[in-house]
Amino acid sequence: MEKQIMRAVELTDFGAPEVLRLGERPLPAAGAQELLIQVSASGVNRPDVLQRKGHYAPPPGASDLPGLEVAGVIVSGDDEAMRLAGLRVGDRVCALLAGGGYAEYCVAPVAQCLPIPAGLSEVEASALPETFFTVWSNVFDRGALQAGETLLVQGGSSGIGVTAIQLAKARGATVIVTAGSDAKCADCLKLGADHAINYRTQDFAAEVQRITEGRGVDVILDMVAGGYVAREVQSLAEDGRLVIIAVQGGIKAEFDAGLVLRRRLLVTGSTLRPRPVAFKAAIAQALRREVWPLIEAGGIRPVIHSTFAAADADKAHALMESSQHTGKIVLTW
């Protein structure tokens, strides 16, 4: 390959969005079980914001560049690993990364790469990996949501939220969401949510009791933690599961442990980024088997709020932090 230098969005320091600058880096090289992707689009996620602020370091061995998901074309890689995965040079793929996605080229484990679903653009596909891997792992694996059960999603208009709504509905669950405005609640209802609660004007715990006629919900997907946990424990039905995936409201919580005992509740959580490739590979296989056909049939679609040129990554981060968006934000190369 002639080109040995690529453009990349670098962190010049920790701090405000302005610390993101377009620079140049040497082209990365794919190793064993890896492939090199020429990136068309990079998804923007909350962990990228945390990394920019100095609060979420990449795991050991990962690129220092932000970016946890991309879509593009395979340039080169481990031929045997690609053959076993049914991939080849020139294929369009999307990939989950531990870092390095804000660049024209990136390296990804073959096992964390999936063919772009038929009918989707690279921009749409770049919005899939981080949220779909996260929702599948936490709502369906850890949370064990079943058809006929009820899911409460905190932050239904987020990238995670719009994915959880669509996946849970497609698999036969009832979905209640919280969102920060009436307009965002309306967006969630259009995506298929059965009920939407404006958390700024309504007490979500009281609304859950009203909606479920006092029964509570079976699974809660929580990105807030902090003071929400006590009300979430109150909102769970017997044998309910609370799954915490972020702590935007703080790391400390006080709740009624007696309710946990009496209702046999499970309080759990996870982070995806530092998990080993084998763990993420299992999620990728489940998505390809269970979810990719739904996307290709048009039953589930990525929700893109805005796209920005990579040089405007600071503007993308400012929008992310403003929480004025519904769905995903994407950088294009």
Side-chain angles (χ1 to χ4, degrees), residues 211-286:
I211 292 166
T212 64
E213 298 180 343
R215 177 185 178 274
V217 298
D218 300 287
V219 179
I220 299 175
L221 183 63
D222 177 27
M223 293 166 266
V224 183
Y228 267 40
V229 175
R231 285 186 288 160
E232 288 169 336
V233 167
Q234 294 169 2
S235 299
L236 285 169
E238 290 191 352
D239 297 303
R241 290 83 75 192
L242 167 59
V243 187
I244 300 169
I245 61 168
V247 289
Q248 295 175 26
I251 61 172
K252 293 186 178 180
E254 186 173 305
F255 57 88
D256 184 346
L259 279 177
V260 175
L261 303 181
R262 293 192 297 274
R263 295 184 186 169
R264 303 176 303 278
L265 306 180
L266 173 66
V267 179
T268 184
S270 76
T271 57
L272 184 59
R273 190 178 189 182
R275 298 303 294 272
V277 171
F279 179 84
K280 297 171 186 175
I283 303 172
Q285 292 162 10

Side-chain angles (χ1 to χ4, degrees), residues 10 14 24 99 167 244:
E10 300 177 303
F14 294 128
E24 291 188 338
L167 277 179
I244 300 169

